[in-house]
Amino acid sequence: MQTWETIQTELEQLRTEGRYRELAVWSSGSDTWMDLGERKILQMSSNNYLGFTNHPALKNAAIEAIEKYGVGSGSVRTITGTLDIHDQLERELAHFKGTEAALVFQSGFTANQGALAALLGPDDVVISDELNHASIIDGIRLTKATRRIYGHSDMNELEEVLKAAGTFKQRVIVTDGVFSMDGDIAKLPEIVELAEKYDAIVYVDDAHASGVLGYCGKGSTDHFGLHGRVHVQIGTLSKAIGAVGGYVAGAEVLKKLMIHKARPFLFSTSHAPSVAATCLAAVRLLRENPQLPEQVRANADRFRAALQRLGFDTGASETPIIPIITGDPARTMAFSDRLLEEGIYAQGIVYPTVAMDKGRVRLIVTACHTEQDLDFALQALEKVGKQFSLVR
Ligand code: PMP
């Protein structure tokens, strides 16, 4: 069939460019060391920042919720799919983030789609950092708003765009809080000042800042002391929180609007009770354990400094996301494969996720990595890095 031949050609092209991927199939749960076939592998690519996926209190909360409510919610939120634990989770998330309200979505991806589509109309302009996450890019595509992209964290360009955007009904600046491929933090204080100067809304996607930045992991707004000056905060429940889901935290009116307009919320079944209960227990755990985000940040700082001492290029990283810039796709994937031979899983990230010459393995440090784990990783990285002339 013609179609299958076209697909085969496309796949061959990916192979030729060194971008073809097989899925790694793990036979143990998300943890510091994981089973891949017969081997134990040190996990350096998971977003399980605080080790919550296996936390006993969270597992118990999930089991109790299954016993009480069953395994599914039965429908979308607007029919029978809002259980008291869904409602409670939103109240506690809002309280945790210091906002009037919060609304939970099935994932961080759909939270962006729902929130951007609800917020942006044809008379608005959305102003987006060029390195924003795919879910933001796709969310923006779903709207009829005018689009403007500014160079990564380029505050001069952002101001130029804002200056020229006075005639739009709303100006909405959208940025990742922590950039997912580079691990740098958005210049939120400057963004907020510019927003106030040019009467714009600030929208921050804190997927990688949730549970990592700020007191108790409250995110980038808290990290910079900007409470009340950031209008929309997206969070994920899929990374540090350890389960799955996303949320939008902000004004009560925004929540009400999304309940009526956000299509993933309206047309896709709500979280299973076990997920809602797990997330509720996780928020409570975070609130009581400010040392956990401190631990992940300390581990990351130590590890990043050691990589830099070895001579690796870690780009602009300032969070537990630490890229090692390797270059073109084939070289990047070869580096990642060699690390796996040494017992380390470090995912290769290549074009089109990043620029063709900016391939990297993205290392993610968690609060659960021990000093021995990180030393093991450093030894392997030094050995393989020498083979690829990435270190001295
Ligand atoms: N936003 C950003 C910045 C992300 O990195 C991700 C996850 N890769 C998402 C949103 C999507 O979150 P989720 O995995 O919960 O759908």
Side-chain angles (χ1 to χ4, degrees):
M1 224 172 113
Q2 180 61 34
T3 315
W4 300 146
E5 279 168 26
T6 313
I7 293 173
Q8 277 303 346
T9 313
E10 197 173 335
L11 291 174
E12 283 313 317
Q13 180 65 23
L14 290 176
R15 270 185 226 279
T16 313
E17 291 170 11
R19 297 201 279 133
Y20 186 82
R21 291 238 54 157
E22 297 287 354
L23 298 178
V25 180
W26 305 92
S27 46
S28 61
S30 174
D31 216 332
T32 312
W33 289 86
M34 291 177 64
D35 297 341
L36 189 64
E38 299 297 302
R39 303 177 65 210
K40 286 256 178 245
I41 302 290
L42 179 65
Q43 185 55 263
M44 296 293 303
S45 285
S46 163
N47 296 312
N48 183 16
Y49 286 112
L50 304 174
F52 276 14
T53 55
N54 264 302
H55 196 287
L58 273 55
K59 290 205 270 197
N60 278 339
I63 292 164
E64 280 171 18
I66 290 174
E67 296 291 355
K68 180 170 177 190
Y69 301 94
V71 295
S73 76
S75 86
V76 298
R77 288 284 302 272
T78 47
I79 306 179
T80 66
T82 300
L83 304 175
D84 51 5
I85 42 176
H86 293 111
D87 185 58
Q88 189 64 23
L89 173 60
E90 287 172 347
R91 287 174 198 281
E92 295 203 16
L93 275 172
H95 185 251
F96 181 68
K97 297 292 283 187
T99 56
E100 273 179 17
L103 190 71
V104 169
F105 286 76
Q106 294 85 348
S107 68
F109 199 101
T110 53
N112 273 323
Q113 300 208 318
L116 288 163
L119 198 60
L120 290 162
D123 301 330
D124 301 328
V125 60
V126 54
I127 307 170
S128 179
D129 187 290
E130 66 174 338
L131 292 191
N132 278 342
H133 188 254
S135 54
I136 292 177
I137 297 170
D138 287 8
I140 290 173
R141 284 188 183 137
L142 292 174
T143 76
K144 293 196 169 73
T146 299
R147 298 159 206 176
R148 298 279 181 263
I149 312 296
Y150 61 95
H152 178 49
S153 286
D154 184 338
M155 295 298 108
N156 292 330
E157 196 178 345
L158 174 59
E159 179 152 25
E160 288 311 310
V161 175
L162 282 165
K163 253 187 211 160
T167 53
F168 290 96
K169 190 165 159 211
Q170 291 191 112
R171 287 149 293 285
V172 180
I173 307 170
V174 184
T175 182
D176 280 12
V178 169
F179 287 88
S180 54
M181 296 299 144
D182 293 79
D184 54 333
I185 304 173
K187 293 181 181 163
L188 211 48
E190 283 106 311
I191 291 175
V192 164
E193 285 206 1
L194 286 172
E196 288 170 355
K197 185 168 170 191
Y198 293 97
D199 187 26
I201 289 170
V202 179
Y203 179 117
V204 179
D205 177 352
D206 256 353
H208 289 280
S210 312
V212 174
L213 292 187
Y215 182 66
C216 293
K218 288 169 192 262
S220 57
T221 299
D222 187 82
H223 172 78
F224 286 115
L226 293 169
H227 288 286
R229 298 171 74 190
V230 172
H231 306 91
V232 185
Q233 297 181 58
I234 304 297
T236 183
L237 304 165
S238 328
K239 302 185 193 296
I241 293 292
V244 69
Y247 60 90
V248 184
E252 184 70 41
V253 284
L254 178 67
K255 173 170 178 167
K256 293 210 164 109
L257 185 74
M258 288 188 296
I259 289 175
H260 293 88
K261 275 181 74 179
R263 293 169 73 83
F265 181 87
L266 289 169
F267 298 115
S268 183
T269 299
S270 61
H271 278 159
S274 55
V275 171
T278 302
C279 296
L280 190 51
V283 175
R284 290 174 180 170
L285 200 63
L286 262 184
R287 227 169 37 209
E288 288 153 16
N289 290 284
Q291 79 283 1
L292 284 171
E294 284 164 18
Q295 181 68 48
V296 68
R297 295 197 299 262
N299 282 359
D301 289 347
R302 173 179 166 265
F303 190 66
R304 191 184 321 99
L307 287 173
Q308 289 168 353
R309 272 197 302 275
L310 288 172
F312 282 112
D313 175 2
T314 58
S317 165
E318 46 189 333
T319 66
I321 296 177
I322 309 176
I324 290 181
I325 311 295
T326 38
D328 67 57
R331 185 172 152 81
T332 301
M333 298 321 281
F335 186 62
S336 168
D337 290 347
R338 269 293 293 122
L339 286 173
L340 190 55
E341 284 168 21
E342 296 293 326
I344 310 242
Y345 190 78
Q347 197 198 4
I349 313 263
V350 297
Y351 179 83
T353 308
V354 293
M356 199 52 116
D357 63 338
K358 285 277 183 272
R360 67 213 44 205
V361 296
R362 185 179 60 160
L363 302 163
I364 299 184
V365 177
T366 73
C368 301
H369 281 122
T370 62
E371 237 175 276
Q372 290 93 311
D373 294 334
L374 296 178
D375 286 343
F376 175 83
L378 285 168
Q379 276 169 22
L381 281 157
E382 183 176 14
K383 179 175 166 193
V384 181
K386 278 187 179 145
Q387 292 162 0
F388 280 74
S389 308
L390 290 168
V391 294
R392 287 177 282 270

